[in-house]
Amino acid sequence: MAVSHPPISDLESHLGYWLRRVSNDVSASFARRLDGEGVTVAEWVVLRMLQDVGEVAPGRLAEAMRMTRGAISKLAERLVAKGLVDRLEDPADGRGQILALTAAGRAMVPGLAALADANDAAFFGCLEPAERSELERLLRKIATGMTWTACRRTSPVQPTV
Amino acid sequence: MAVSHPPISDLESHLGYWLRRVSNDVSASFARRLDGEGVTVAEWVVLRMLQDVGEVAPGRLAEAMRMTRGAISKLAERLVAKGLVDRLEDPADGRGQILALTAAGRAMVPGLAALADANDAAFFGCLEPAERSELERLLRKIATGMTWTACRRTSPVQPTV
DNA sequence: TTTCGATAGTTTCCTAGTCAACGAAAGGTA
DNA sequence: TACCTTTCGTTGACTAGGAAACTATCGAAA
């Protein structure tokens, strides 16, 4: 051919492809397990985070879950409607709110955590313990790299050259 | 307390949590890069697969991409509307269709692949080459485990006991 | 040859998230 | 004190995918 260009990379040569592929399947399976308890994956994450911290502002939750404030607002509304979360006014800031678990929400967490454990086991049970540790270390390293980069708000994520 | 139960597993102890966390960020970044070219991540995957195989039936595409036939139908419709994919009748089966790239679609693939390369580099550049290989090996192993399990259509994915 | 179950793709409704605009409250500056 | 920018959360429009029902076609069996 008259014009040459670098070979087009394979779909399967992209780590992003494999990550999405595996994550989608793991999450879809987890979503099906949770569906039986009437919560979504994102709702589970909120419940579990609230179990740890007691109460949180929606804005902080949005940061922690890397979602928009609009999404968190709707998510919180659904959890309130399900009676799993309480929405309180922030006494220190009239604009703000405080989210906390209800007794019903708190009671659900152990069972949902067991579903997460089982789902993890179903997908990662094919890995040796050392492989699991290594996968977690690599994912944390990537996540940390993203967090660190994101901390430098003055510049967007850029390709390493 | 009067009633004891096993400790509730940490959110961060679940590999599924880390996978979703990292995958969402990688995909969201990739989606933003692709947005400049007017295609979504899923559309890119279709274009790239068609580059390899030439033509494919929507049903096969649904299997390969682990999406429903309804989603593929809409996805194909969008790509046809964008002039990137042609939809032909299957001469061997009146029900079926054949999807193939248009010249415009084929021309876009190298540039989109370069965006995928750059996105991968941005997120996985913090990994040593050996770590990248290991991550890919682990993800493929998990994906293969899922594929194998999925092949046994007679039984759903179950937790390993 | 006819009938019926299976297959292929479409379409409608629903869900969940993003985006952007909005209103209310807070804080800093003139 | 007043004004303006920033912050907090909400809401409507939109997107993309899943679920389920639908239509058209195919193939096997009676």
Side-chain angles (χ1 to χ4, degrees):
Chain A
M1 60 188 68
V3 179
S4 66
H5 54 69
I8 304 170
S9 44
D10 280 348
L11 203 51
E12 299 193 359
S13 70
H14 294 121
L15 277 177
Y17 168 81
W18 287 107
L19 259 178
R20 191 170 55 255
R21 161 73 176 263
V22 171
S23 175
N24 283 354
D25 287 350
V26 171
S27 291
S29 167
F30 188 29
R32 286 193 293 275
R33 291 176 195 261
L34 288 173
D35 196 41
E37 303 296 328
V39 299
T40 66
V41 174
E43 288 166 1
W44 144 249
V45 172
V46 173
L47 296 180
R48 187 64 190 83
M49 283 184 170
L50 285 177
Q51 176 89 12
D52 275 349
V53 302
E55 55 183 35
V56 74
R60 298 290 79 70
L61 203 48
E63 286 175 14
M65 293 180 69
R66 309 167 87 81
M67 286 167 67
T68 64
R69 294 194 310 278
I72 293 297
S73 180
K74 299 178 196 189
L75 186 49
E77 182 56 36
R78 294 201 301 276
L79 287 168
V80 168
K82 289 173 180 175
L84 303 178
V85 158
D86 272 335
R87 194 197 304 250
L88 314 168
E89 292 182 10
D90 184 348
D93 189 332
R95 297 169 298 180
Q97 281 188 2
I98 295 294
L99 302 174
L101 285 177
T102 60
R106 193 174 308 282
M108 281 196 78
V109 170
L112 301 181
L115 293 178
D117 293 341
N119 196 65
D120 257 31
F123 284 89
F124 308 119
C126 60
L127 300 181
E128 304 290 338
E131 291 180 318
R132 282 185 174 202
S133 299
E134 182 63 0
L135 178 58
E136 180 174 337
R137 186 185 72 81
L138 293 173
L139 291 173
R140 282 180 187 264
K141 185 170 179 180
I142 299 164
T144 302
M146 292 180 319
T147 302
W148 180 81
T149 305
C151 269
R152 300 172 63 84
R153 289 260 182 69
T154 55
S155 65
V157 172
Q158 311 202 41
T160 56
V161 201
Chain B
M1 62 189 68
V3 179
S4 67
H5 53 71
I8 304 169
S9 46
D10 280 348
L11 203 51
E12 297 192 359
S13 69
H14 293 121
L15 277 176
Y17 169 81
W18 287 108
L19 259 178
R20 191 170 56 256
R21 158 74 176 263
V22 171
S23 175
N24 283 354
D25 287 349
V26 171
S27 291
S29 167
F30 188 29
R32 286 193 291 277
R33 292 175 196 261
L34 288 173
D35 196 39
E37 304 296 327
V39 298
T40 66
V41 174
E43 288 166 1
W44 144 249
V45 172
V46 173
L47 296 180
R48 187 63 188 85
M49 281 182 171
L50 285 178
Q51 177 88 12
D52 276 347
V53 301
E55 55 183 36
V56 73
R60 298 289 79 70
L61 204 48
E63 285 174 16
M65 292 181 68
R66 309 167 88 81
M67 285 168 69
T68 63
R69 294 195 310 279
I72 292 298
S73 179
K74 301 176 198 179
L75 186 50
E77 183 56 36
R78 293 201 301 276
L79 286 168
V80 168
K82 290 173 180 174
L84 304 178
V85 157
D86 272 334
R87 193 199 303 251
L88 315 168
E89 291 184 9
D90 184 348
D93 190 331
R95 298 168 295 180
Q97 283 188 2
I98 296 293
L99 302 174
L101 285 178
T102 61
R106 192 175 309 280
M108 282 196 78
V109 170
L112 300 181
L115 292 179
D117 294 341
N119 196 65
D120 256 31
F123 283 91
F124 308 117
C126 61
L127 300 181
E128 302 291 338
E131 290 180 318
R132 280 186 175 200
S133 299
E134 182 64 359
L135 178 58
E136 181 174 335
R137 185 185 74 79
L138 293 173
L139 291 173
R140 281 180 188 263
K141 185 171 179 179
I142 298 165
T144 301
M146 292 179 322
T147 302
W148 181 79
T149 305
C151 268
R152 300 172 64 85
R153 288 262 180 67
T154 56
S155 66
V157 171
Q158 310 201 40
T160 56
V161 201

